[in-house]
Amino acid sequence: MERAKMAEDASEFVSSQLENDYGGGVDEVDAKPDRRDRLSIFGQKKKNGQEHQPETSDSSQYRIVTPTFRYRMDYKEIGKCIIINNKNFAHSTGMAPRNGTDKDAGDLQKCFRKIGFKVSVYNDLSCDDMEQQLRKAASENHSDAACFACILLSHGKEGLIYGTDGEMPIKTLTALFRGDRCQSLIGKPKLFFIQACRGSEFDDGIQTDSGPSDDTLETDANPRYKIPVEADFLFAYSTVPGYYSWRNPGKGSWFVQSLCSVLSEYGKELEILQMLTMVNFRVATSYESQSDDPQYSEKKQVPCVVSMLTKELYF
């Protein structure tokens, strides 16, 4: 009897608090919960001394939502992958040729085709050409595709990527695929892999975990519910903000070669963030710059992953 009285008092208290907190006006920023669901944990008032439980058959009062934590991949195709490989730059930019980038582009092409992507490679594009190619891709119908991928190989600065004729904001390219601009990719993963410098700082590291390299190294300066337009993006940068990104003229860049190695081995087994964590580990522990110039010798690097994915992604 005493327990029933406590439950009834608690129910009335919560009801009163909800009236105060969520009163009868329209919703503003925060969504207003259904009070009936909140009160159901206390049961309803007694009938003939028995506590009356809510009827579960009334779908208008109770809704059970089973979340899915994986992106759908049962489309006709995995999707398109665009690789922009900028090696040579106009003299006015002050940027040297990116020797070794062709190996990166070739290895990436093989790797992403093996996963199932339809890969297109574009070499030495100007800023306008880069934007034009990605704008064209964003305007296409991706209804039969599970996701989209883009790989940018170039010189860069923080927030900027180089075309052959100068620099432009990375955001100008990636924003073309936002939910309000590319509706056939709404709710689908949009993956961007960026091999480029993000500044001019060096990471000296705290210990040496790998042997010397043989070659000289260089640096690369349709859901029914509403979702945020910035959702379902993933950005995998070769380095953290402010730092150089290293590339070997003969063997390719540390980041791309590690990415290809991991994807080739685990691309059909592991979730994307698991694989990118492995890439981080390999770059951080297996590489160190070697140069006759002490300023460029014994430097380290770690990639950086920025994820707005809302589910797990398995290829």
Side-chain angles (χ1 to χ4, degrees), residues 281-296:
F281 177 79
R282 293 192 182 189
V283 173
T285 61
S286 299
Y287 293 89
E288 181 177 305
S289 66
Q290 300 293 319
S291 173
D292 293 335
D293 186 343
Q295 180 182 357
Y296 294 92

Side-chain angles (χ1 to χ4, degrees), residues 215-269:
D215 300 317
T216 302
L217 291 161
E218 299 179 0
T219 61
D220 289 330
N222 301 334
R224 299 179 185 175
Y225 50 88
K226 291 177 68 175
I227 60 175
V229 296
E230 301 283 2
D232 304 301
F233 278 87
L234 180 141
F235 302 96
Y237 294 93
S238 60
T239 190
V240 294
Y243 283 83
Y244 276 117
S245 182
W246 294 91
R247 171 176 33 84
N248 186 296
K251 300 179 181 179
S253 63
W254 300 357
F255 171 67
V256 169
Q257 292 304 309
S258 297
L259 176 65
C260 290
S261 176
V262 171
L263 288 177
S264 296
E265 189 171 355
Y266 301 103
K268 290 293 186 178
E269 299 176 22

Side-chain angles (χ1 to χ4, degrees), residues 18-180:
L18 289 171
E19 287 294 338
N20 292 334
D21 294 342
Y22 300 107
V26 297
D27 291 346
E28 295 182 357
V29 177
D30 295 322
K32 179 165 55 177
D34 188 333
R35 295 182 207 149
R36 291 170 296 188
D37 288 345
R38 290 283 296 274
L39 293 175
S40 66
I41 61 174
F42 297 103
Q44 296 180 357
K45 292 186 177 181
K46 295 186 299 181
K47 289 185 178 180
N48 300 323
Q50 297 295 322
E51 193 171 77
H52 177 65
Q53 296 297 325
E55 295 290 338
T56 57
S57 60
D58 187 352
S59 60
S60 66
Q61 292 188 28
Y62 303 97
R63 182 179 63 178
I64 299 175
V65 179
T66 303
T68 54
F69 293 104
R70 290 191 180 188
Y71 285 106
R72 278 186 54 200
M73 299 303 288
D74 56 343
Y75 289 87
K76 290 183 180 180
E77 56 190 52
I78 293 290
K80 174 173 283 190
C81 173
I82 291 179
I83 300 175
I84 296 179
N85 176 38
N86 289 342
K87 177 179 180 179
N88 303 294
F89 300 84
H91 179 74
S92 59
T93 65
M95 293 294 166
R98 299 182 59 255
N99 298 315
T101 190
D102 290 336
K103 178 171 180 12
D104 281 346
D107 290 346
L108 286 165
Q109 184 177 22
K110 294 177 185 177
C111 180
F112 276 78
R113 279 182 176 170
K114 181 180 178 181
I115 292 174
F117 283 91
K118 293 183 177 179
V119 182
S120 299
V121 181
Y122 301 95
N123 296 308
D124 290 343
L125 298 187
S126 67
C127 293
D128 286 344
D129 289 340
M130 288 196 294
E131 184 173 358
Q132 180 180 346
Q133 286 295 341
L134 291 183
R135 188 179 297 278
K136 177 183 176 182
S139 67
E140 294 174 355
N141 187 351
H142 299 268
S143 298
D144 292 333
C147 61
F148 171 81
C150 176
I151 305 169
L152 304 175
L153 309 173
S154 189
H155 287 299
K157 300 176 183 177
E158 176 55 25
L160 302 174
I161 192 78
Y162 270 83
T164 57
D165 58 346
E167 62 192 37
M168 68 181 301
I170 294 174
K171 188 75 172 179
T172 300
L173 303 177
T174 62
L176 297 170
F177 297 88
R178 288 183 4 166
D180 56 347

